Amino acid sequence: MVRLTQLQAVRSTLLIPLVARAFGARCYPWLDCHDADAAHLLSCLQTEVAPLLQDRLVMLNVLWRTGVLKAWGREFFARYPHATGVNLGCGLSNHFQWLDSGRNRWLDADLPEVLDLREQLLPEQGGRRHNAGIDIARDGWWDALALDRLAASGPLWLLCEGVLMYLPPERVRALLREFAERAPPDSVLVFDAISHVGIGQARHCHSVGPSGAEFCWGLRSPQELLQAHPRLRPRCAARSVAECYGVFGWAAEAMSLPWSGAPLYSMHALRV
Ligand SMILES: C[S@@+](CC[C@H](N)C(=O)[O-])C[C@H]1O[C@@H](n2cnc3c(N)ncnc32)[C@H](O)[C@@H]1O
């Protein structure tokens, strides 16, 4: 059993995707990600999961994005089996269970308080999976994680899910720039994004609102991502959660785009 009381605001939001991966398939069985650890981790934390599970919209978003990033990650590591994966703002996720090529390495990074918790629940196993404390809202995270060393074996696959919307816009642009300037060719950065209309609206979100975290960054248009640095290119077409709702979802998105500027929730993969 591990105590969770010390985590504040955005750090405590790590519980939301954990609950989705553990139990979200009760609501959306076709999106079941079969996470081997999530339910066990929650039982160690002895935390109330029912209120988070009631946020059906967010449960769907997390399960859908897990499917997207698994597909994108598997495609990348099939092509670069020796490359390293880096999960920025990893929380208590264990995506290496799905993206272990047998030869690649994996680095899970989060703020030091979360890292303390992670070390208790998901300690490094030696070998190919490691944990690191980092603040990605500060310049220099690339060097602090010694990513040049990890990039010696090829391009990197970076993931930043459920994190960027909590950072100030200038810090998101700085993170994209640091990735673009430092990553070796063919490296990929995968992340999710909300539309800018969600900024400041966390109180309306049943799972995020009570945590005290706030949405600070959202897309005004998908093109703004490439404007962060000339080395950035789309790795593939962005995906919108509208695809989960079929024709109704696409129609609703087409009607809302003039106002929202970008899908309400989407997944992106940029490469250098
Ligand atoms: C919603 S949780 C997502 C956790 C994980 N990516 C997942 O999907 O399970 C947000 C995570 O971002 C981390 N985070 C927020 N700001 C951060 C920062 N400046 N540097 C590193 N991690 C940060 C939090 O500690 C938390 O673990």
Side-chain angles (χ1 to χ4, degrees), residues 107-155:
L107 180 63
D108 283 304
D110 207 305
L111 292 163
E113 304 92 299
V114 173
L115 235 281
D116 286 347
L117 185 62
R118 190 177 174 89
E119 281 293 325
Q120 295 175 64
L121 292 165
L122 284 165
E124 293 187 340
Q125 293 163 330
R128 294 182 292 116
R129 182 166 72 74
H130 301 277
N131 292 330
I134 193 68
D135 181 352
I136 57 167
R138 292 182 174 199
D139 291 336
W141 54 270
W142 189 274
D143 285 330
L145 292 174
L147 295 188
D148 279 346
R149 194 167 45 80
L150 295 175
S153 52

Side-chain angles (χ1 to χ4, degrees), residues 37-54:
D37 297 313
H40 170 68
L41 295 175
L42 284 165
S43 73
C44 295
L45 293 169
Q46 298 236 314
T47 184
E48 188 68 63
V49 302
L52 296 178
L53 257 185
Q54 281 166 14

